Amino acid sequence: NRVLSNGQVMTDVQVDLEIRDGIASFHHILGVLHEGELQAKAKINMRHPAVMMEIFGGIQGVNLGPLFASLGTAEVASGRADISWDLMTAGVTYNALTASLEGSFGIKAEKVVFNAVSLQGLICSALAVINKIPPEQGSPEHAPSTDLDILIDFNSGKGRLEKFQLESPGVALTGAGNILLNTLDFRHIHILHGIVSTSRYVELTF
């Protein structure tokens, strides 16, 4: 009841697999991953030259601390999140699978603490540079109690950030943009609206 894959350990694993006529159907995949409950289904069609895959499901209440640590970025954030996906693709190579990716991927989290960055500090420093004034002192070293809601839609290997909402004490941001999956280029994401409240900026909207 324990599976290890790419450094990820899943426990209490239950898999209902049926293989028939070149199609592998995972009727359910259940388990615990970083304290979150995994529920997923998948289908792999191997009857064609290009393998066709479908997978949908999610993880409820995953612990972000161990998750980031397993990815080699320990102490980036702490808290819990719900992750969901509904994806399909086809191909025989990584590039082909990426180029034909369709579907959606979402993350929702409440009261997440980003340990490595202070959103308030970053934004206030940027505003100080723009306004040519000294930066505000006393910003927290991390972003406490942050709520996050992200939804990415995939179409022909391109990701579209349909929803980006982030709320933290003194900061509220929304955004949208595009993600190039073959290069993981996130430079085309734009903040559409923001509100910053600090001792200097009672409420600044942009």
Side-chain angles (χ1 to χ4, degrees):
N1 67 345
R2 178 184 173 93
V3 174
L4 175 63
S5 176
N6 294 326
Q8 305 300 314
V9 179
M10 186 165 63
T11 59
D12 299 332
V13 180
Q14 300 179 41
V15 177
D16 182 1
L17 171 61
E18 177 186 9
I19 301 177
R20 180 179 296 179
D21 299 328
I23 299 178
S25 299
F26 293 83
H27 297 300
H28 70 247
I29 305 171
L30 307 176
V32 176
L33 180 66
H34 301 302
E35 302 176 21
E37 295 185 6
L38 168 68
Q39 297 187 26
K41 296 183 178 181
K43 181 180 290 185
I44 303 175
N45 189 335
M46 298 171 284
R47 294 189 297 182
H48 306 282
V51 176
M52 301 175 64
M53 295 186 290
E54 302 175 43
I55 180 169
F56 65 92
I59 306 175
Q60 300 294 314
V62 64
N63 191 329
L64 296 177
L67 175 61
F68 280 116
S70 71
L71 299 174
T73 52
E75 300 183 356
V76 170
S78 60
R80 293 185 180 271
D82 297 335
I83 304 174
S84 61
W85 57 84
D86 186 353
L87 303 168
M88 61 183 299
T89 187
V92 294
T93 66
Y94 172 81
N95 288 337
L97 292 171
T98 301
S100 60
L101 186 63
E102 307 274 348
S104 62
F105 179 87
I107 300 175
K108 289 187 176 182
E110 295 182 356
K111 298 181 180 179
V112 174
V113 175
F114 290 96
N115 303 314
V117 64
S118 167
L119 299 175
Q120 295 90 338
L122 286 175
I123 293 174
C124 290
S125 295
L127 293 174
V129 171
I130 294 172
N131 294 312
K132 298 180 180 180
I133 58 177
E136 185 174 21
Q137 301 298 316
S139 296
E141 296 181 357
H142 58 269
S145 187
T146 299
D147 296 342
L148 188 65
D149 191 354
I150 297 174
L151 177 63
I152 304 174
D153 283 342
F154 298 101
N155 185 6
S156 299
K158 297 179 181 178
R160 172 69 183 173
L161 186 63
E162 295 291 344
K163 178 188 290 186
F164 176 84
Q165 295 179 345
L166 184 151
E167 295 184 6
S168 186
V171 176
L173 302 175
T174 61
N178 298 311
I179 303 170
L180 302 180
L181 299 182
N182 56 344
T183 59
L184 293 180
D185 189 346
F186 292 83
R187 289 177 296 176
H188 300 285
I189 295 176
H190 306 284
I191 301 300
L192 301 179
H193 178 73
I195 297 176
V196 180
S197 299
T198 69
S199 59
R200 174 178 292 169
Y201 306 103
V202 177
E203 185 173 288
L204 176 65
T205 302
F206 56 93

